[in-house]
Amino acid sequence: QCTEPQKLFNIANELLHTEEAYVKRLHLLDQVFCTKLSEAGISSEVITGIFSNISSIYCFHGQFLLPELKTRITQEWSVNPRIGDILQKLAPFLKMYGEYVKNFDRAMDIVNTCMQRSSPFKDVVQNIQKQEVCGNLTLQHHMLEPVQRIPRYELLLKDYLKKLPEESPDRKDAEKSLELISTAANHSNAAIRKMEKMHKLLEVYERLGGEEDIVNPANELIKEGHIQKLSAKNGTAQDRYLFLFNSMVLYCVPKLRLIGQKFSVREKMDIAGLQVQEIAKQNVAHTFSITGKKRSLELQARTEEEKREWIQVIQATIEKHKQNSETFRAFNSSFSQEEEHLPDSSIASTSSVESMPGADGGGGALGGSDSSRKPSKSKRDKEKQACKSCSESFNSITKRRHHCKQCGAVICAKCSEFKPLADNSRHNRVCKECFLHFPASPGVEAVGEQKKRLAAEKQSILAAENSLFSSYLQFLEKGKTWYKMWVTIPKTEPLVLYLQGSSQDGRSPRPIPLPGYEVSLPGSGEKFEVKHVFKLCQSHQTLYFSAEDEELQLKWMEILTKAAKGETEDTAEGLGNP
């Protein structure tokens, strides 16, 4: 039987040991996978698309959180037995995890695509995966570690708080830490569920020898298992295997192998149009049939219960597929009807009409003849393939098509906003132009006021009087165009730099957690037209800033250097906003 203080120490010790293992995984991702792929000539866009801000996460845990936990638990625990105060420091850096988790689905898609299409990428990844440090796990498994880490902090903190006395000086800090970490854990858990689904598909893909391209976010494995197939010629039973997905059934033949069961796909049957029913055969028990568009199969289960389970789950999958298809058709039909009644000028901007071959700006779209409407129809069909605002092509998974409820334009999710319109109080998806130029419906002032209040609160945090240091700076990240930004380090988040563009652009301030960045002057080969330039560098990311004068440049470099080292104490001493 452990005493309560001993139980608390055991939890703290477990936190330390898991943190040490976690930092090793981050090192593997950032310093091994990321570095080796870069050395192999893989483009920085692909590497950033896969690893996102893993360098920032690695630097924070390796250089700040782990050393603090180690010192507290191995050296100071006898005089200062607490971890809540240290974990509360994690809170500002949950923003880093938000960015990583948000990018996670896209990162998985890029890895899968590169493994199939890029030999240099595949060679590097497979060579690393063979090393002992990888523990026989894939790159995708290791990429899941940061997503899983936040929920683990949450579980350990909950256990810690259960055993922490009410009067403990660490209770307030520990409760605050749990509140902040739990919010972030919800986002991570959703990403974990998606990843687990993808891993199941990857496992099936490997068992099928790569014969069927089933690794798709839209696919879901419902059920799998051995089954007997009754021969149409003589009624003998043959060993077969079924994989039931939300959109298809794969009817497979087991391959003879010494290690690991593999299968060859004999028949692929779409769920659409599939029928399943119980059949009665003389001298043969537990039989049922599945009939598709091209083939019918008579199958035998091992028990009556197993037969009923197969029939029920296949029937449920068919019904769900029908419902989804009907909903999708109704959804498309409603939009088609809306488009039929919309004037042509409301579907496309003038500039897109002028850019079309043969468009002369005349009144063809307003003419009554069929021939005058043909260019408009072809134009409309063309525009349905790409977003009106960003011109990126649509697809069914990562770039879905939406319509502006105000003007009817075809847009993507990224180029839209939500606002109440005059005909209803719901929040409707509209393009950014309509969001800015058309007023919201009367009677929803409360919503507008709430948005204004939240915006005002954010602006208040970034205001000069609430910051450790702030000023206007010119900012450059990619390309050659410098942008004027309001740059600030809030008192409430002394290790986070915020960039705010003009108030008209409607964007939220961009947070940049500073630990792990290097602050320096441009190199001899970096030439700029503006003066007093300094830069923030980390892994594959470089951010450039230009100050009005040398004094402001040096002041910013001094402050950012301290914050990048995780120094918060006395940071505010002697600082004054220009």
Side-chain angles (χ1 to χ4, degrees):
Q1 289 291 324
C2 291
T3 61
E4 289 303 315
Q6 183 62 42
K7 288 178 183 177
L8 290 171
F9 175 74
N10 290 343
I11 294 168
N13 210 31
E14 183 183 351
L15 174 63
L16 174 61
H17 290 316
T18 56
E19 187 69 13
E20 287 172 334
Y22 178 52
V23 169
K24 286 178 183 176
R25 293 284 181 241
L26 293 175
H27 178 272
L28 178 65
L29 286 170
D30 185 51
Q31 299 296 305
V32 181
F33 277 109
C34 199
T35 302
K36 294 291 184 186
L37 286 169
S38 183
E39 290 172 356
I42 304 301
S43 72
S44 60
E45 287 80 8
V46 169
I47 291 173
T48 304
I50 293 171
F51 297 100
S52 185
N53 58 340
I54 196 69
S55 293
S56 299
I57 295 172
Y58 173 53
C59 287
F60 169 69
H61 286 271
Q63 297 178 21
F64 303 103
L65 188 59
L66 178 57
E68 283 204 35
L69 284 173
K70 205 165 190 175
T71 302
R72 174 66 55 83
I73 294 165
T74 61
Q75 298 174 27
E76 302 172 353
W77 192 262
S78 57
V79 293
N80 192 14
R82 56 193 301 182
I83 57 172
D85 58 327
I86 294 176
L87 287 179
Q88 203 170 335
K89 292 179 183 178
L90 180 67
F93 301 97
L94 294 178
K95 290 183 178 66
M96 296 190 296
Y97 279 92
E99 188 176 328
Y100 186 89
V101 170
K102 191 166 63 177
N103 184 67
F104 190 72
D105 283 352
R106 177 171 170 263
M108 289 294 107
D109 288 341
I110 295 172
V111 171
N112 292 333
T113 302
C114 289
M115 289 294 283
Q116 292 172 15
R117 300 181 185 176
S118 170
S119 295
F121 184 96
K122 185 178 180 179
D123 291 343
V124 171
V125 170
Q126 288 185 338
N127 285 335
I128 298 171
Q129 287 176 171
K130 290 173 186 173
Q131 297 175 18
E132 189 178 342
V133 70
C134 263
N136 294 320
L137 296 174
T138 64
L139 167 60
Q140 291 96 320
H141 277 92
H142 292 298
M143 286 171 65
L144 189 59
E145 282 279 339
V147 179
Q148 292 174 327
R149 187 59 183 160
I150 297 295
R152 285 174 183 163
Y153 287 131
E154 182 186 31
L155 292 173
L156 283 167
L157 260 175
K158 282 180 177 176
D159 198 18
Y160 179 75
L161 275 165
K162 280 180 188 175
K163 297 172 175 60
L164 195 66
E166 286 293 330
E167 67 280 2
S168 169
D170 197 26
R171 176 160 284 277
K172 188 176 178 182
D173 283 340
E175 286 176 345
K176 183 65 177 174
S177 301
L178 179 60
E179 180 187 337
L180 296 165
I181 287 170
S182 293
T183 304
N186 290 334
H187 298 293
S188 292
N189 284 328
I192 289 168
R193 285 192 291 273
K194 283 187 179 179
M195 184 59 187
E196 286 172 346
K197 189 172 87 170
M198 287 295 285
H199 274 313
K200 282 183 182 177
L201 294 176
L202 277 167
E203 286 171 8
V204 175
Y205 177 76
E206 288 170 4
R207 288 159 69 193
L208 296 175
E211 289 182 32
E212 290 290 332
D213 185 13
I214 60 168
V215 184
N216 183 315
N219 279 346
E220 184 179 353
L221 180 64
I222 308 292
K223 181 177 171 63
E224 63 174 290
H226 284 278
I227 202 83
Q228 297 288 317
K229 189 261 181 184
L230 300 177
S231 172
K233 291 180 180 178
N234 52 26
T236 57
Q238 301 161 332
D239 191 24
R240 296 291 184 263
Y241 201 89
L242 287 185
F243 290 99
L244 172 65
F245 296 89
N246 57 331
S247 60
M248 61 184 165
V249 174
L250 295 183
Y251 166 70
C252 305
V253 178
K255 288 182 179 179
L256 293 174
R257 287 178 61 89
L258 294 174
I259 303 172
Q261 180 71 71
K262 297 277 184 178
F263 303 95
S264 177
V265 177
R266 183 64 61 86
E267 191 76 34
K268 178 180 176 181
M269 306 173 78
D270 290 338
I271 289 294
L274 195 73
Q275 292 180 328
V276 58
Q277 60 184 15
E278 188 173 354
I279 55 175
K281 291 183 76 73
Q282 268 191 333
N283 305 322
V284 184
H286 324 311
T287 55
F288 65 101
S289 70
I290 53 175
T291 306
K293 294 173 182 176
K294 298 178 182 178
R295 186 172 177 183
S296 179
L297 300 170
E298 290 187 355
L299 305 171
Q300 181 185 28
R302 287 173 292 189
T303 64
E304 188 67 18
E305 185 183 354
E306 187 180 89
K307 179 193 76 173
R308 281 199 303 268
E309 189 180 338
W310 270 114
I311 292 173
Q312 286 170 4
V313 75
I314 293 172
Q315 191 61 50
T317 305
I318 292 169
E319 291 301 323
K320 189 173 181 181
H321 187 273
K322 278 183 185 175
Q323 289 171 9
N324 290 343
S325 298
E326 286 167 8
T327 304
F328 184 71
R329 278 197 295 271
F331 180 76
N332 276 351
S333 173
S334 67
F335 273 130
S336 299
Q337 288 168 11
E338 283 178 23
E339 287 178 2
E340 287 299 317
H341 294 91
L342 283 167
D344 295 330
S345 58
S346 70
I347 299 292
S349 64
T350 308
S351 60
S352 65
V353 176
E354 290 173 351
S355 66
M356 286 185 62
D360 57 4
L366 299 174
S369 70
D370 290 341
S371 61
S372 68
R373 295 190 63 83
K374 283 180 184 175
S376 171
K377 180 82 166 65
S378 117
K379 164 175 66 65
R380 210 183 299 177
D381 289 342
K382 186 177 179 181
E383 286 183 346
K384 288 177 186 177
Q385 306 306 316
C387 172
K388 167 200 160 187
S389 299
C390 66
S391 300
E392 291 184 20
S393 298
F394 295 119
N395 61 63
S396 61
I397 300 166
T398 59
K399 195 80 173 174
R400 298 185 67 179
R401 188 177 70 175
H402 301 279
H403 287 68
C404 171
K405 289 291 188 181
Q406 188 80 49
C407 73
V410 186
I411 49 175
C412 66
K414 187 175 68 175
C415 297
S416 62
E417 302 283 355
F418 286 90
K419 72 184 295 182
L421 299 179
D423 57 347
N424 62 54
S425 59
R426 296 188 291 114
H427 275 224
N428 299 269
R429 191 186 290 276
V430 296
C431 66
K432 292 194 175 181
E433 287 178 18
C434 292
F435 182 78
L436 293 172
H437 296 113
F438 288 90
S441 68
V444 292
E445 289 85 354
V447 177
E449 289 300 318
Q450 185 181 21
K451 285 186 176 179
K452 286 180 184 176
R453 180 175 57 78
L454 293 171
E457 287 176 3
K458 195 65 184 175
Q459 291 301 325
S460 174
I461 293 172
L462 304 184
E465 61 269 21
N466 295 325
S467 66
L468 293 175
F469 197 70
S470 58
S471 74
Y472 280 105
L473 294 174
Q474 296 290 328
F475 172 70
L476 172 70
E477 184 171 13
K478 290 179 181 176
K480 298 180 180 179
T481 307
W482 291 82
Y483 297 94
K484 189 176 183 180
M485 294 278 188
W486 176 252
V487 185
T488 180
I489 299 179
K491 291 176 182 175
T492 54
E493 298 178 74
L495 300 180
V496 182
L497 183 73
Y498 278 92
L499 306 182
Q500 174 71 67
S502 62
S503 57
Q504 287 79 19
D505 67 6
R507 295 182 184 178
S508 300
R510 174 182 172 180
I512 300 174
L514 292 167
Y517 274 94
E518 289 183 12
V519 186
S520 65
L521 294 169
S524 57
E526 297 176 301
K527 304 293 182 185
F528 300 102
E529 293 179 4
V530 296
K531 296 181 179 179
H532 314 301
V533 177
F534 61 95
K535 64 181 182 178
L536 285 173
C537 297
Q538 186 182 84
S539 188
H540 304 281
Q541 185 182 43
T542 303
L543 310 175
Y544 295 95
F545 298 88
S546 169
E548 287 185 358
D549 53 49
E550 187 178 1
E551 183 183 355
L552 184 59
Q553 175 198 34
L554 295 174
K555 197 69 180 173
W556 268 113
M557 289 182 71
E558 178 191 351
I559 295 160
L560 293 172
T561 300
K562 286 184 177 179
K565 293 177 181 176
E567 297 175 10
T568 57
E569 295 179 16
D570 304 324
T571 305
E573 287 186 11
L575 293 186
N577 283 306

